[in-house]
Amino acid sequence: MVVPMENIDTGGKAVRSEVVGMYLLNEGNMGSNKSTLDYLDLSAGDSTVHYLRNIYSERNPSTVMSLGDVGNDCQVYGSRLWLVINCSNKVEVARAADAVRIGQVNIPNCRYVTFSGRYAYVSSYVGGVRTPGSSPLGSVYKVDTLTLQKVDSCTVGYQPEEMAIVGDRLYVANSGGYQGMTGQGYESTVSVVDLPTMREVRKIEVAPNLHHLKADRNGRLWVTSRGNYTEIDSRLYWLEPDATGEMHVGGVIAQPVSDLCIVGDSLYFYGSQWSELTMTNTVTYGIVNVRFCQIVSTSLTDAPEVKKIRMPYGIIVNPIDRDFYLMDAKNYVSSGELLHFLPDGTFDWKVRTGDIPAHAAFLFKTEKK
């Protein structure tokens, strides 16, 4: 049965721009096989912003089980849309213009994707989702973006997460999440992979349970640590090149960061710090200046709607206009919400999404063709 798409008028005013749309990947609760894809149409067709809910099933009715179980990353590269579906052990590849499926790449327990030239690089836990006691080292798979064939791989640390590329080096945030769950201790390193040879050349010691990793325009890398949920808190670290050009830890900002988006010299973030000791969750928002490596704002907006967000789960900032979106996962098992804010933080509109909205990618006019 194909679940029909919903076309929702958000009431927002469409502004003609190089950014014509945004894909939003909903994770869906693990084991429910409910990952879905939505599309925000910013192309000003009737001067208002429309939200197309659950487009993948309708545009790909013959795809078995639709997207699958747990969407973990969403990226547009060239004319193609890449969707990493974690527990279904695959990367779905579709046309960026309309989300019509091209094919898939089978990768076990895949997590994130990044790109350089003709190739995609996908991080993978390698082992099964529910086998923390015997999990192997993780890997990064090199995929030809034209043929969708795996052409190489590299062993990295335990349970690798997000990656970033600077020059001919791929940097991988290792979490060791399965090890931490069983008391063996979290990973605390960033793997450095030489792209021409696809070999790990060194590890950089940072902090336990690393997750997100992004490059800025100043040659630095920003990596989040989730800590161990007890005596070690979540923190934001930056890596910078030394005199020889090798990355090392440049410093730390004592701020929990759960997700981030860098535009220019501004790093927009939200932090959700869970404490096993007090059984409480503390949410914060703010902006870091990545040039000077310091927090310049401890809020993103004064709008009362942000206080109604039950569980922030994603953030993305328009790289041209700097309006931004926050994603609310609510209770994890029912529809979430996408909230839109103007560049000055003014609340604009919100709309119902699929379950656990978490990953988004903008579509530009050149990619729509």
Side-chain angles (χ1 to χ4, degrees):
M1 177 182 175
V2 176
V3 179
M5 178 190 76
E6 296 179 62
N7 188 330
I8 304 167
D9 188 337
T10 66
K13 181 180 180 182
V15 178
R16 294 194 180 277
S17 166
E18 286 300 306
V19 178
V20 297
M22 185 183 80
Y23 285 105
L24 190 153
L25 180 63
N26 301 286
E27 288 191 358
N29 195 266
M30 183 181 292
S32 65
N33 209 65
K34 288 179 65 179
S35 180
T36 58
L37 183 70
D38 301 341
Y39 180 69
L40 184 68
D41 187 357
L42 301 167
S43 60
D46 64 355
S47 299
T48 60
V49 174
H50 285 255
Y51 191 80
L52 310 182
R53 190 172 184 269
N54 192 28
I55 67 170
Y56 205 78
S57 294
E58 185 168 276
R59 297 184 183 182
N60 302 281
S62 62
T63 302
V64 178
M65 302 301 287
S66 190
L67 268 179
D69 197 14
V70 186
N72 209 77
D73 198 12
C74 171
Q75 301 288 340
V76 172
Y77 187 65
S79 63
R80 295 186 172 186
L81 171 67
W82 293 68
L83 305 171
V84 180
I85 313 300
N86 174 216
C87 295
S88 289
N89 306 301
K90 65 174 182 175
V91 179
E92 287 277 312
V93 183
R95 295 192 311 226
D98 52 16
V100 172
R101 188 176 188 269
I102 295 172
Q104 75 177 49
V105 187
N106 297 320
I107 295 178
N109 211 340
C110 43
R111 302 293 292 177
Y112 289 89
V113 62
T114 193
F115 306 90
S116 179
R118 179 172 167 168
Y119 299 100
Y121 300 87
V122 183
S123 58
S124 164
Y125 283 9
V126 178
V129 174
R130 294 183 175 88
T131 56
S134 58
S135 59
L137 285 166
S139 286
V140 173
Y141 289 87
K142 182 178 181 180
V143 178
D144 188 311
T145 57
L146 298 180
T147 66
L148 303 187
Q149 297 299 306
K150 290 174 289 196
V151 296
D152 208 344
S153 65
C154 175
T155 299
V156 289
Y158 288 103
Q159 290 82 62
E161 299 285 6
E162 195 168 29
M163 306 161 289
I165 294 173
V166 177
D168 61 357
R169 296 290 174 88
L170 172 72
Y171 297 87
V172 187
N174 300 308
S175 71
Y178 289 171
Q179 273 60 31
M181 288 165 54
T182 58
Q184 301 174 65
Y186 291 99
E187 268 267 22
S188 57
T189 64
V190 168
S191 288
V192 183
V193 177
D194 178 64
L195 287 180
T197 61
M198 275 301 285
R199 295 294 176 265
E200 182 187 67
V201 294
R202 58 189 284 254
K203 280 189 170 77
I204 305 169
E205 187 73 28
V206 182
N209 200 4
L210 302 180
H211 187 197
H212 290 294
L213 192 157
K214 297 184 187 295
D216 68 20
R217 65 183 182 182
N218 305 302
R220 293 190 179 97
L221 294 169
W222 294 83
V223 58
T224 65
S225 163
R226 290 174 287 200
N228 64 1
Y229 311 108
T230 52
E231 72 275 5
I232 303 176
D233 290 336
S234 171
R235 292 288 183 262
L236 176 66
Y237 293 80
W238 74 85
L239 311 183
E240 58 190 15
D242 58 21
T244 68
E246 295 289 350
M247 287 288 184
H248 69 283
V249 176
V252 58
I253 295 176
Q255 166 65 51
V257 173
S258 301
D259 199 3
L260 65 149
C261 183
I262 301 175
V263 174
D265 283 333
S266 297
L267 183 156
Y268 297 73
F269 71 85
Y270 73 87
S272 181
Q273 178 70 62
W274 172 258
S275 171
E276 294 284 355
L277 298 177
T278 62
M279 301 299 287
T280 57
N281 190 60
T282 303
V283 176
T284 51
Y285 301 89
I287 299 174
V288 172
N289 182 295
V290 296
R291 182 180 177 189
F292 298 109
C293 303
Q294 61 185 20
I295 295 177
V296 293
S297 176
T298 55
S299 71
L300 294 176
T301 172
D302 293 328
E305 284 78 9
V306 77
K307 297 179 181 179
K308 300 176 184 178
I309 295 177
R310 185 170 175 182
M311 181 50 65
Y313 221 71
I315 181 172
I316 189 168
V317 183
N318 185 319
I320 296 177
D321 302 314
R322 297 213 180 193
D323 52 317
F324 61 94
Y325 302 82
L326 295 174
M327 302 159 218
D328 185 359
K330 300 294 184 182
N331 62 0
Y332 298 108
V333 294
S334 58
S335 298
E337 282 185 336
L338 176 69
L339 295 88
H340 179 241
F341 298 85
L342 301 180
D344 64 359
T346 301
F347 172 72
D348 191 18
W349 50 260
K350 65 181 177 180
V351 67
R352 184 172 63 96
T353 66
D355 295 2
I356 314 182
H359 313 280
F362 288 109
L363 181 68
F364 291 81
K365 188 178 296 183
T366 54
E367 298 161 336
K368 183 71 175 176
K369 298 178 180 178

